[in-house]
Amino acid sequence: MHFLAKASAVAGLLLTAALPASADVIFDFVGTTYTPPGQPTEFVNRVNGQLVVFDEAYASGYRIERTQAGGFRTEENTSALRGLTFTFGPERTTTGDFNFLPDPARSGASAFQAMIEIVAAPFSLPTGRIFYRDFDVLFDFTLAGATGAGLGGLIGTGNCVSPGCAFTTTTVQSVPEPASLALFGMGLAGLGLIRRKRAA
């Protein structure tokens, strides 16, 4: 019975070690300050975003570039991008808002513009710019590693009209949980083998 238990533990340890400890790397942009242009608004403490990249890209460094302005579209260097969201007050943009699938309502509208220009060295925080404008919302966000700053507003509502409401953020990187759990599991399995060996 002890032989089977040891064999199972060894097999589990080898299997865990053989599997890639893959996890997406998550960067949260947490709003820190907000400066409305002279009038109270509903945006206070409601400016935040999240960028998700593949762990392989995080380890090797990456560049993400996407641009669309009405019917003009370019798409390049997007393989590192796993997901992107940004919230400004009641408005929220997601990865789908930055895609380039045919969309007659947007491709023919000069008001629609989206741009991502993000670069990062291996194992580093992202830097660059995220710009978005549609029929309802406009924001222009610049990342500088651990911090970010930008302007944003709702179009046609009277809140945060040009030049927009200023905001700042801090960048918080999430620990890739699957990789951490894999290492934790390997450690427990190793301790179990050592304990059984000493007891024998």
Side-chain angles (χ1 to χ4, degrees):
M1 186 69 176
H2 289 292
F3 173 77
L4 289 176
K6 287 182 179 179
S8 296
V10 171
L13 182 61
L14 291 175
L15 181 60
T16 303
L19 291 174
S22 179
D24 298 332
V25 180
I26 302 171
F27 301 99
D28 288 301
F29 312 126
V30 182
T32 51
T33 63
Y34 176 83
T35 308
Q39 75 268 14
T41 73
E42 67 271 37
F43 307 137
V44 178
N45 298 323
R46 294 184 64 188
V47 175
N48 57 75
Q50 185 179 84
L51 171 70
V52 184
V53 299
F54 290 102
D55 58 347
E56 298 91 345
Y58 174 68
S60 60
Y62 57 89
R63 174 182 293 273
I64 301 171
E65 293 179 314
R66 284 183 170 181
T67 302
Q68 179 169 350
F72 173 75
R73 299 190 297 270
T74 65
E75 180 174 4
E76 52 186 324
N77 298 327
T78 59
S79 60
L81 180 64
R82 175 72 165 171
L84 175 66
T85 60
F86 199 86
T87 301
F88 185 81
E91 297 296 328
R92 179 181 174 88
T93 61
T94 64
T95 312
D97 293 316
F98 290 91
N99 69 21
F100 301 100
L101 298 175
D103 186 341
R106 286 179 170 170
S107 62
S110 59
F112 177 73
Q113 300 174 39
M115 183 187 72
I116 310 171
E117 291 181 349
I118 296 175
V119 296
F123 302 103
S124 299
L125 296 175
T127 63
R129 184 181 177 203
I130 302 171
F131 178 88
Y132 184 85
R133 177 189 175 116
D134 64 11
F135 305 106
D136 301 311
V137 65
L138 162 69
F139 66 83
D140 192 351
F141 180 46
T142 300
L143 286 167
T147 61
L151 295 171
L154 295 188
I155 297 173
T157 65
N159 285 333
C160 295
V161 294
S162 181
C165 296
F167 61 87
T168 61
T169 64
T170 58
T171 302
V172 180
Q173 180 180 339
S174 300
V175 177
E177 289 302 327
S180 301
L181 290 175
L183 290 174
F184 182 68
M186 289 173 65
L188 285 180
L191 288 175
L193 285 175
I194 292 171
R195 184 175 179 183
R196 286 179 181 168
K197 185 175 181 181
R198 288 180 178 174

